[in-house]
Amino acid sequence: FNLRALLDFHKSRGKVGTIMVTRVDEPAKYGKSVVVAHETGLIERFVEHGRTFAGNLINAGVYVFSPSVFDRLEVRSTSMEKEVLPRLAEENELYCQHLEGYWMNVKKPRDFLQGQALYLAHLAKQRPEELASASGSIEGHVKIDATAQIGEGCLIGPDVTIGPNCVLEEGVRLRRCVLLDSVRVGAHSAVSDSILGWRASTGNWARVEGVSVLGEDVHLAPEIFVNGALILPHKAISESVNEPKIIM
């Protein structure tokens, strides 16, 4: 979608906030309330899901606010969806703009990976020059930043994104995964169905799979196996994680 158009729309209305909204078949899957808006786009209220159908227009999770929104925030933990947005609607200070085309919720890692695969497929049709050319080391849709370093004998794809300044040592295997900025994958390691955060690294012969997420600055020792783990930032992992768990 066009963020510039959303910003222009927000400025033209002169209100505190503008949110993107979208129509879905099962609104109850995406939160506790639906959006009720005037034909002009002014949001009248948010309605909790109940036994009666209130609509299928939901908050798409993209917001633009004027700086005055900070005057309405208290110095405490505050819910945007439960407190700030409903209050702005009550004060007639919140507009919405419809998001046309495809939308999906990517709050969960598995959904994020699915969304990435769909986006790479979109690039293949619309801007194929942005994807890596098919070769002996590339399978399917793969996007590699120009600053990434790829070692000898690597096999990458399908559905892989490699961010800036990443380093893949020799013999690495990547499938259906995302490597954010400055990730390093040790020699002969394999990563599949997982997300590696900024400056994360694996030692040689490591294996990461099962929708694992390595937070920023997480480092795996050599020969570590990680299966379905959510590892919070700034951790050094020296033992395998055989079952899905959160490491804090």
Side-chain angles (χ1 to χ4, degrees), residues 20-206:
M20 296 290 283
V21 296
T22 188
R23 295 192 184 279
V24 296
D25 294 332
E26 299 180 67
K29 292 173 56 178
Y30 302 101
K32 295 183 177 180
S33 64
V34 295
V35 179
V36 178
H38 189 266
E39 60 183 13
T40 62
L42 184 67
I43 294 179
E44 299 176 4
R45 64 191 185 279
F46 294 84
V47 179
E48 294 293 317
H49 296 301
R51 294 186 178 181
T52 59
F53 180 73
N56 62 351
L57 198 64
I58 67 167
N59 179 351
V62 181
Y63 312 142
V64 176
F65 293 112
S66 300
S68 61
V69 73
F70 292 106
D71 298 331
R72 301 164 184 269
L73 301 180
E74 299 179 23
V75 185
R76 61 177 177 82
S77 178
T78 304
S79 169
M80 185 66 67
E81 290 77 13
K82 295 180 181 179
E83 299 178 74
V84 178
L85 295 181
R87 191 181 311 135
L88 289 176
E90 289 176 2
E91 298 172 358
N92 293 323
E93 288 289 344
L94 188 64
Y95 266 88
C96 66
Q97 187 177 49
H98 287 256
L99 175 61
E100 304 297 337
Y102 187 80
W103 176 89
M104 71 176 294
N105 188 325
V106 293
K107 288 183 179 179
K108 297 180 179 180
R110 188 180 299 278
D111 296 331
F112 180 87
L113 291 169
Q114 181 186 356
Q116 175 202 236
L118 292 170
Y119 179 66
L120 291 175
H122 168 77
L123 286 182
K125 293 180 179 179
Q126 301 296 326
R127 301 193 301 276
E129 67 279 2
E130 296 187 19
L131 298 180
S133 300
S135 67
S137 60
I138 302 294
E139 292 184 348
H141 303 144
V142 174
K143 185 173 175 61
I144 303 176
D145 188 86
T147 61
Q149 301 177 40
I150 311 298
E152 294 291 331
C154 292
L155 181 56
I156 305 169
D159 301 328
V160 171
T161 298
I162 300 175
N165 306 306
C166 289
V167 176
L168 272 59
E169 298 181 11
E170 64 178 310
V172 166
R173 178 69 172 107
L174 302 181
R175 295 180 295 179
R176 300 180 301 278
C177 62
V178 178
L179 275 55
L180 299 182
D181 194 335
S182 302
V183 167
R184 187 179 193 97
V185 182
H188 308 292
S189 293
V191 180
S192 61
D193 302 297
S194 297
I195 302 168
L196 274 57
W198 304 275
R199 293 177 295 282
S201 69
T202 80
N204 297 343
W205 298 98

